[in-house]
């Protein structure tokens, strides 16, 4: 899930920016040494399933780490039916919990029921997010999503098999993962995460549960990544629309079907590194719309996109369930289009069933682009809206590190690394410029470098291309010309990997400051 990309940037859940609850069939065990302290909202008995879910969020073992390892505490609330679940969430909200995972179902599937409406109401009313397993009905004759995940507002996660390695090319959706949408027609699941063979926490010594399977396992992994996102941007603890919008916009790992939106993995599989990059760079807008927000029935949000850099953008809102949990309506319907810097329409979307519009395009010009949201229906008085965007530049997982004697006449040691993908070819380049300048390197891919003569000539420098070893590492040594005019100048170096003629990964630029 590329969580290590965010970890390596210093992002950690240890600051406790968000409180997380495991709402499950039982309670999380309190004495597993690899879990944070447990705060109990119920006392119905320890469950290995609940404990495994907690491990996927926050386990802190030398070899097995949840996405949000270091979380100061985790809340536990047992209750998995129409009667027992609402009191658990009421207690959690009173305690300041913002994220909760529900890896269970009521036995209902395929349509919005009482508890789905309860969660749609609760998420909208109290600004919390529920993460739900999409269901393990994939092998049945009716492979629907399951309650309480059939509403509009929660995040439902399907499961894929990651082949027990970090390579994405051999991943495949799990055959059991539910994929039919509810009869109301909105997309389920919204996302996918690894669900097969996940090593996590259990209730007794030696405290490790080997091989936690199912969408039950996938959903808390998504919750863990969201917790890590809130460590980057603490405001997400009260902005569930942003959590969902950003996870969907940055879900660049496509396991099956259409890369934008498909039956089994929804918008795609969670990419923690891309989500973190987008949050780092402030790539979202969060506003409250009223009827007066629209001019000539349109509302525009501007964002920057770069020529050749494939970009995804989403406009997302919530449904409105009533407080009796008997109705659940989409009071707003927006169509969407993306306009380029010259105001030409680049792509458009007009979905009537989903509470979002998700679009993808490859810009032909760098500069300010516009997501234009056209009002089709606005029946309420106000609606919160998230617009989030992510590009392939956000996917940077490779790194270039530099050391040496960075003076005219000196030398530089460069290490090229992609720890997720060894034995692939790499190419690096040097340039004097970076964003807003970009250099195309393949369909939909760019490096954040200026494509000048130095960029092209440096591609042939000794060690700037070759094959990464099995650990994903290569090195090079370069001599710096003995030219005094270089003093005080800053150059930048970046790399990409490829296999079969296709770009696999890129790095962010690394500055080389000549002293």
């Amino acid at each position: 899930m590329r969580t290590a990309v965010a970890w390596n940037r210093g992002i950690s859940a240890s600051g406790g920016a968000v409180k997380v609850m495991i709402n499950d069939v039982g309670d999380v065990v309190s004495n597993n040494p690899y879990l944070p302290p447990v705060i109990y909202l119920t006392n119905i008995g320890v469950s290995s399933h609940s404990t495994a879910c907690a491990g996927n969020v926050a386990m802190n073992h030398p070899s097995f780490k949840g996405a949000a390892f270091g979380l100061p505490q985790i809340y536990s609330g047992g209750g998995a039916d129409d009667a027992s679940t609402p009191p658990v969430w009421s207690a959690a909200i009173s305690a300041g919990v913002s994220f909760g995972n529900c890896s269970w179902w009521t036995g209902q599937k395929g349509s919005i029921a009482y508890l789905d409406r309860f969660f749609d109401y609760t998420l909208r009313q109290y600004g919390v997010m529920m993460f739900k397993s999409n269901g393990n009905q994939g092998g049945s004759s009716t492979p629907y999503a399951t309650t309480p995940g059939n509403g509009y507002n929660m995040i439902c996660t399907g499961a894929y098999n990651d082949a027990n390695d970090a390579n994405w090319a051999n991943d495949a959706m799990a055959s059991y993962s539910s994929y039919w949408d509810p009869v109301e027609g909105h997309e389920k699941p919204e996302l996918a995460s690894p669900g097969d063979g996940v090593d996590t926490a259990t209730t007794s010594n030696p405290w490790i549960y080997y091989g936690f399977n199912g969408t039950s396992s996938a959903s808390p992994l998504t919750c863990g990544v969201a917790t890590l996102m809130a460590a980057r941007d603490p405001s997400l603890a009260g902005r569930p629309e942003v959590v969902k919008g950003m996870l969907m916009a940055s879900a660049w790992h496509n396991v099956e079907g259409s890369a934008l939106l498909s039956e089994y993995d929804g918008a795609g599989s969670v990419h923690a590194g891309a989500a973190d990059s987008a949050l780092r760079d402030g790539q979202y807008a969060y506003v409250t719309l009223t009827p007066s927000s629209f001019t000539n029935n349109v509302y525009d949000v501007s964002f920057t996109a770069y020529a050749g850099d494939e970009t995804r953008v989403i406009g997302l809102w919530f449904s409105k369930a009533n407080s009796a949990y008997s109705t659940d309506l989409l009071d707003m319907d927006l169509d969407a289009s993306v306009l380029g810097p010259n105001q030409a329409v680049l792509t458009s979307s007009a979905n009537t069933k989903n509470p979002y519009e998700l679009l993808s395009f490859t810009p032909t010009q760098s500069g300010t682009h516009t997501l234009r949201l056209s009002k089709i229906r606005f029946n309420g008085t106000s609606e919160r809206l998230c617009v989030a965007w992510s590009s392939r530049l956000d996917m940077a997982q490779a790194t270039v590190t530099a050391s040496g004697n960075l003076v005219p006449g000196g030398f530089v040691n460069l290490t090229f690394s992609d720890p997720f993908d060894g034995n692939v070819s790499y190419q690096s380049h040097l340039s004097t410029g970076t964003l807003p300048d970009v250099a195309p390197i393949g369909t939909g891919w760019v490096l954040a470098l200026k494509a000048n003569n130095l960029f092209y000539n440096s591609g042939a420098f000794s060690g700037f291309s070759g094959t990464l070893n099995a650990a994903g590492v290569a090195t090079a040594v370069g001599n710096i010309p003995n030219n005094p005019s270089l003093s005080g100048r800053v150059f930048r170096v970046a790399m990409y990997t490829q296999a079969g003629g296709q770009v696999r990964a890129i790095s962010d630029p690394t500055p080389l400051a000549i002293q």
Side-chain angles (χ1 to χ4, degrees), residues 306-366:
Y306 302 102
D309 181 28
E310 185 182 355
T311 301
R312 292 160 55 114
V313 59
I314 192 171
L316 181 144
W317 55 97
F318 275 178
S319 73
K320 187 176 183 180
N322 67 357
S323 58
Y325 321 134
S326 58
T327 62
D328 197 355
L329 303 174
L330 290 174
D331 275 354
M332 183 168 72
D333 181 26
L334 306 176
D335 289 348
S337 57
V338 173
L339 311 182
N342 59 1
Q343 298 301 293
V345 176
L346 304 180
T347 187
S348 60
S349 175
N351 188 294
T352 62
K353 302 294 186 181
N354 291 326
Y356 57 83
E357 298 289 350
L358 178 63
L359 305 95
S360 176
F361 67 103
T362 301
T364 57
Q365 297 175 272
S366 295

Side-chain angles (χ1 to χ4, degrees), residues 189-241:
E190 286 89 358
L191 296 161
S193 289
D196 277 357
V198 179
D199 297 329
T200 183
T202 192
T203 56
S204 59
N205 190 52
W207 306 112
I208 300 170
Y209 176 2
Y210 294 100
F212 181 32
N213 295 332
T215 59
S216 284
S217 184
S219 179
L221 291 175
T222 302
C223 180
V225 170
T227 304
L228 198 64
M229 290 166 56
R232 164 70 78 176
D233 183 348
S235 71
L236 267 59
R239 296 178 171 181
E241 298 90 349

Side-chain angles (χ1 to χ4, degrees), residues 305-310 362-363 365-366 391-393 427-459 492-496 503 505-507 509:
Y306 302 102
D309 181 28
E310 185 182 355
T362 301
Q365 297 175 272
S366 295
S391 80
R392 289 192 178 272
L393 279 174
Q427 176 68 61
S428 60
H429 291 274
L430 192 67
S431 182
T432 53
T434 184
L435 297 177
D437 294 310
V438 295
I441 55 173
T443 304
W445 291 90
V446 299
L447 288 180
L449 296 176
K450 185 175 183 178
N452 52 19
N453 287 337
L454 177 59
F455 174 89
Y456 292 109
N457 292 336
S458 63
R492 292 170 178 83
V493 60
M495 66 174 285
Y496 63 95
V503 175
I506 63 171
S507 75

Side-chain angles (χ1 to χ4, degrees), residues 162-194:
D162 67 1
N164 202 34
D165 60 29
N167 180 13
W168 279 348
N170 57 3
D171 293 350
M173 291 303 299
S175 60
Y176 55 74
S177 187
S178 294
Y179 59 93
W180 277 12
D181 300 334
V183 297
E184 289 80 6
H186 50 294
E187 184 72 30
K188 292 290 174 176
E190 286 89 358
L191 296 161
S193 289

Side-chain angles (χ1 to χ4, degrees), residues 50-77:
S50 309
T51 301
C53 290
N56 279 17
V57 174
M59 188 172 184
N60 192 0
H61 178 280
S63 300
F64 310 118
K65 293 187 183 297
F69 77 91
L71 195 68
Q73 72 278 313
I74 197 159
Y75 288 74
S76 175

